[in-house]
Amino acid sequence: MAAHRKPKQRPLTGPAARTAVTVALAGAASATAFEGVGQAAPQLSPAQVKAKVDQLYQEAEVATDKYNGTKEQTKASEKSLRTLRDEAARSTARLNTARSALGSMAAAQYRNGAVSPSVQVFLSSDPAQYLDRAAYVERAGDVQATEVSGVQRQLGRLAQLRSEAHTKLGDLRLQQAGLKKQKAAVQSRIRSAQALLARLSAPERAQYESRGGSSDGSPGPHGSGAADRSTVRDTVLAPNSRAAQAVAFAYGALGKPYVWGATGPSSFDCSGLTQAAYRSAGVSLPRTTYTQINSGQRVSRSELSPGDLVFFYSGVSHVGIYVGNGQMIHAPHPGAPVRLAPIDQMPFVGAARPV
């Protein structure tokens, strides 16, 4: 038994202990150093930083546009649900009234049920009047029974519609919650990219902001938003009064901040600006860029007139209002207020004329 006994470990003391501690600390330091290298953020060039921010802004705009669309659908479903509930309540009230009337009739019939109709005729002081009343009661009973049956069918249908509306509303709310999370994630990435952007020199940041955050085009004339507004207004006229009013509204919004989901009057997102501009002219536009492009007549780039809506990126994720001379007014992204910019600053995908 003693031969198989594990020898007792003796604690290290003296020089041996100091040597062990030194080796352990060195190993920990080496591991930490390697871990730090593995987790270090890559160093991006100024051009890469600008491109990353551009990409994140576009992704955020796509997510926000989808969120805006779902929010509008949710509002419509909620309104439909309220209408169904009101109609169901009215039908229930009619049904209860009919039931009450039938209950009174049933009670009367029960009270008279012990006497046969022939005896009731015999005992009646006016048999002819009794027969007339009996026929009336029978006809009234048929009418009320028919009414109750109809109300019951209607109420059943309303219950089905209400159930469908609840299901649809639940689905939309789940979708909206998912889009909110997506939007929050994109905003978080934007904050990270903007932190990188803050490392650029002041002239580089100024150049980026003057272009509205686009990396594929020079500022062009009036690209910073400090344009001589009268030049565009005087040389290119809108084709009609409503387009002119939308353009005037857009000019009045210059300098106002970009805010997610905003439709004015103090702040806007891109489709919120175009919607508000045409709302001021009495024209109703849908809420999102991918639906606004189908509003009105589609026009080519060579046919553009002031007031036309101009759309950008393959996913139709950005929109502005054309004001003439190759310029548009748009709400670029957070941190960049509503401004005048050339339409060749972003990849053009189409245009629509609402009026």
Side-chain angles (χ1 to χ4, degrees):
M1 295 293 292
H4 297 286
R5 185 176 299 162
K6 189 175 182 180
K8 183 182 294 185
Q9 299 291 333
R10 295 182 180 180
L12 296 175
T13 58
R18 288 193 295 271
T19 301
V21 171
T22 301
V23 171
L25 291 175
S30 300
T32 302
F34 283 118
E35 183 179 1
V37 170
Q39 294 182 348
Q43 295 298 320
L44 302 178
S45 68
Q48 290 173 321
V49 169
K50 295 174 185 178
K52 183 175 179 64
V53 174
D54 285 347
Q55 178 186 355
L56 288 167
Y57 279 143
Q58 185 184 356
E59 291 175 358
E61 199 156 39
V62 170
T64 302
D65 217 27
K66 290 181 179 179
Y67 172 77
N68 289 338
T70 303
K71 186 176 180 180
E72 291 296 302
Q73 294 175 13
T74 301
K75 288 181 180 179
S77 294
E78 289 173 343
K79 182 179 179 180
S80 176
L81 181 60
R82 288 193 298 269
T83 300
L84 288 173
R85 285 173 174 170
D86 291 343
E87 190 173 354
R90 290 192 296 269
S91 295
T92 301
R94 290 194 298 268
L95 180 62
N96 289 337
T97 300
R99 283 173 175 169
S100 178
L102 287 176
S104 299
M105 181 179 294
Q109 291 174 351
Y110 177 80
R111 287 193 298 269
N112 297 328
V115 182
S116 67
S118 59
V119 175
Q120 291 182 36
V121 171
F122 178 78
L123 296 176
S124 174
S125 59
D126 188 348
Q129 185 182 25
Y130 170 82
L131 291 174
D132 290 341
R133 289 178 178 175
Y136 172 78
V137 168
E138 184 178 358
R139 290 194 301 271
D142 291 341
V143 170
Q144 289 199 3
T146 301
E147 181 181 354
V148 169
S149 178
V151 171
Q152 287 176 327
R153 287 194 301 269
Q154 183 182 9
L155 192 58
R157 173 59 178 163
L158 289 174
Q160 178 184 355
L161 293 175
R162 183 170 58 184
S163 176
E164 293 173 358
H166 273 297
T167 300
K168 182 178 180 181
L169 183 60
D171 293 341
L172 288 172
R173 283 177 172 167
L174 287 175
Q175 184 180 3
Q176 186 177 15
L179 290 172
K180 284 183 178 179
K181 292 180 180 179
Q182 180 184 2
K183 177 180 172 181
V186 173
Q187 287 177 318
S188 176
R189 293 172 66 187
I190 288 177
R191 285 192 294 269
S192 299
Q194 287 178 330
L196 292 175
L197 189 61
R199 300 179 185 179
L200 299 178
S201 65
E204 287 172 332
R205 290 196 302 272
Q207 182 190 25
Y208 179 84
E209 289 301 331
S210 71
R211 293 183 291 109
S214 175
S215 61
D216 50 2
S218 61
H222 317 314
S224 65
D228 179 5
R229 302 174 185 177
S230 63
T231 301
V232 176
R233 290 182 174 182
D234 292 343
T235 57
V236 183
L237 299 178
N240 56 64
S241 60
R242 288 179 291 183
Q245 172 57 33
V247 170
F249 182 96
Y251 271 104
L254 286 173
K256 292 186 177 181
Y258 182 109
V259 174
W260 298 113
T263 58
S266 58
S267 59
F268 304 91
D269 63 15
C270 70
S271 58
L273 173 64
T274 52
Q275 185 185 51
Y278 269 99
R279 184 169 59 237
S280 74
V283 178
S284 178
L285 290 182
R287 179 64 181 91
T288 62
T289 57
Y290 55 83
T291 51
Q292 288 182 5
I293 196 172
N294 295 318
S295 298
Q297 175 188 355
R298 294 291 290 271
V299 295
S300 66
R301 182 166 179 162
S302 61
E303 298 171 324
L304 287 175
S305 295
D308 290 346
L309 304 180
V310 285
F311 300 88
F312 305 91
Y313 299 106
S314 59
V316 193
S317 60
H318 192 74
V319 61
I321 298 180
Y322 186 69
V323 295
N325 290 335
Q327 303 288 306
M328 68 174 172
I329 293 176
H330 71 137
H333 57 73
V338 176
R339 61 180 55 174
L340 195 65
I343 63 171
D344 59 2
Q345 193 177 77
M346 291 175 285
F348 179 89
V349 295
R353 186 168 296 160
V355 293

